[in-house]
Amino acid sequence: MRDALDATPYDALLLLSFGGPEGPDDVVPFLENVTRGRGIPKERLKEVGRHYFLFGGVSPINDQNRALLDALRKDFADHGLDLPIYWGNRNWAPYLTDTLREMVADGRRRVLVLATSAYASYSGCRQYRENLADALATLEAEGLELPKVDKLRHYFNHPGFLEPMIEGVLRSLADLPEGVRDGAHLAFSTHSIPNASADTSGPAEDHGEGGAYVKQHLDTARLIADAVRERTGVDHPWQLVYQSRSGAPHIPWLEPDICDHLEERHAAAVPAVVMAPIGFVSDHMEVLYDLDTEAKAKAEELGLPVRRSATVGADPRFAAAIRELVLERAAAESGLQVTPCALGALGASHNLCPVGCCPARAPRPAAAGADSPYA
């Protein structure tokens, strides 16, 4: 790593996220963006959007991204890293294409992308890369000079991502009644995806049952559980569970669902459960509704004490981790020797998604990978 905090060859960082509605009138148009091409009737979208209407039609994800932007800019400034940071979304304003157009107008020519997804999967990585390719194609059709775009590697096992979650689990355990605390189980939760998508996640050599998606989550969960045991002296049993399933009933998705898991733990006389949403960067709608609303209601029905630990959000340690990842990638692109920072059994993820990594059902161009048409 270079002595000075120099991000060369990059001249900008782009925070790329999912986006979400910011008022009741935004909910259906937002869901139309998310489901475009699937032919879902507007009345069905209103039903799907009931989660948002329960929270005034406002998704927390946009404010959480603003907080992360503030944390990143503060960290960069405090450490003398002169790298402007932009923000674009896949499904709501500020839209990715508009942000890339702004970056081109500002003279940005080498862009590094931070996606708000820490793990390998089609929806968590390649789909972001497809959106990047779509946006670049639009700019190309407008006759604009295209920037070269790279994507930061998966950061699921970076200490700056793990440490806030470890502390969150410890705080949740401490908040349980003393009589049930030591016997509490840990439920590490992430977004369920179709089995077929999980099985083909990551590079081709990782394909198989659960693919890289499940392997990476299991490694993250194990690292957190081990740290909790080391700091408390108590070995809490744990399991990887899933939430937020949205597909057709006949298509197999990853299981067990968090609510089913709570029922099973209660039936096994487990005294308490800490739910740790390790698959999410911030406390957005799927955390607030699927865990804080549905799962907690299920636990209350069962009489099972539960706590939900925090995601990393805008924690300064996460912001510092992103700075380290930026400098790591910049040094590697400049031909310098780099030792990637990663914990656990899997090591650091690839910088460049290889051909066949997290393939889509129907092939589409994807930027920032070995198969990118915009190399």
Side-chain angles (χ1 to χ4, degrees):
M1 201 70 71
R2 291 165 284 195
D3 291 335
L5 296 193
D6 181 9
T8 304
Y10 298 105
D11 56 16
L13 177 68
L14 168 62
L15 175 65
L16 177 55
S17 192
F18 193 82
E22 301 205 74
D25 293 341
D26 297 342
V27 173
V28 170
F30 162 72
L31 292 173
E32 287 174 335
N33 287 342
V34 174
T35 62
R36 181 165 286 116
R38 301 183 203 172
I40 299 176
K42 184 169 289 189
E43 290 307 310
R44 172 60 180 152
L45 292 179
K46 288 180 181 178
E47 181 183 342
V48 171
R50 69 187 186 280
H51 301 174
Y52 292 99
F53 291 120
L54 288 174
F55 293 86
V58 178
S59 169
I61 194 170
N62 289 330
D63 277 344
Q64 290 163 2
N65 281 325
R66 292 181 183 104
L68 179 56
L69 286 167
D70 288 343
L72 289 170
R73 287 168 177 151
K74 181 179 187 306
D75 180 89
F76 285 16
D78 288 348
H79 291 85
L81 177 58
D82 184 15
L83 188 70
I85 307 173
Y86 295 75
W87 171 33
N89 289 324
R90 290 170 47 193
N91 298 298
W92 202 249
Y95 288 103
L96 170 60
T97 302
D98 294 336
T99 300
L100 279 176
R101 193 181 289 115
E102 176 189 357
M103 296 175 81
V104 169
D106 289 347
R108 311 305 175 194
R109 296 294 177 261
R110 193 74 190 272
V111 176
L112 194 52
V113 176
L114 163 63
T116 53
S117 175
Y119 302 86
S121 71
Y122 171 72
S123 57
C125 183
R126 186 176 179 87
Q127 195 168 17
Y128 282 88
R129 294 175 49 226
E130 290 176 352
N131 295 143
L132 281 165
D134 291 343
L136 290 169
T138 298
L139 269 57
E140 186 176 40
E142 295 172 357
L144 298 177
E145 182 179 353
L146 300 185
K148 186 178 187 314
V149 176
D150 292 326
K151 178 179 173 291
L152 283 175
R153 65 175 173 89
H154 303 302
Y155 45 83
F156 63 93
N157 56 4
H158 193 287
F161 183 66
L162 291 166
E163 187 59 36
M165 292 192 292
I166 293 166
E167 289 194 1
V169 171
L170 292 170
R171 284 194 299 270
S172 293
L173 285 168
D175 191 48
L176 284 168
E178 187 174 355
V180 301
R181 186 179 306 149
D182 286 352
H185 284 212
L186 309 179
F188 294 107
S189 184
T190 190
H191 205 302
S192 185
I193 61 175
N195 287 7
S197 294
D199 294 345
T200 56
S201 58
E205 61 268 22
D206 286 338
H207 293 178
E209 187 174 359
Y213 186 74
V214 172
K215 290 176 187 174
Q216 290 172 0
H217 279 88
L218 285 173
D219 204 40
T220 299
R222 190 173 296 110
L223 285 164
I224 296 172
D226 287 350
V228 169
R229 183 184 65 251
E230 290 168 4
R231 299 182 196 187
T232 64
V234 179
D235 191 4
H236 293 274
W238 62 270
Q239 185 171 341
L240 180 63
V241 301
Y242 302 93
Q243 61 175 88
S244 312
R245 176 186 172 134
S246 58
H250 68 281
I251 298 176
W253 282 51
L254 293 174
E255 297 177 337
D257 176 77
I258 177 62
C259 289
D260 293 338
H261 177 72
L262 293 177
E263 288 186 339
E264 292 167 0
R265 296 303 86 199
H266 178 256
V270 169
V273 173
V274 168
M275 303 181 294
I278 62 171
F280 307 92
V281 170
S282 65
D283 288 4
H284 54 58
M285 186 58 70
E286 286 165 320
V287 175
L288 295 184
Y289 185 81
D290 296 332
L291 294 184
D292 291 357
T293 305
E294 283 196 330
K296 285 188 177 179
K298 171 59 69 175
E300 185 175 347
E301 171 192 320
L302 297 168
L304 177 66
V306 297
R307 297 293 186 272
R308 197 269 293 173
S309 65
T311 53
V312 297
D315 190 286
R317 290 164 294 188
F318 181 47
I322 300 307
R323 168 174 40 86
E324 292 170 6
L325 289 168
V326 166
L327 294 173
E328 173 194 299
R329 182 63 182 273
E333 290 294 311
S334 298
L336 300 177
Q337 190 68 31
V338 177
T339 301
C341 185
L343 301 177
L346 300 181
S349 184
H350 49 263
N351 276 334
L352 190 69
C353 291
V355 176
C357 192
C358 303
R361 293 178 187 171
R364 287 178 53 192
D371 55 355
S372 173
Y374 300 105

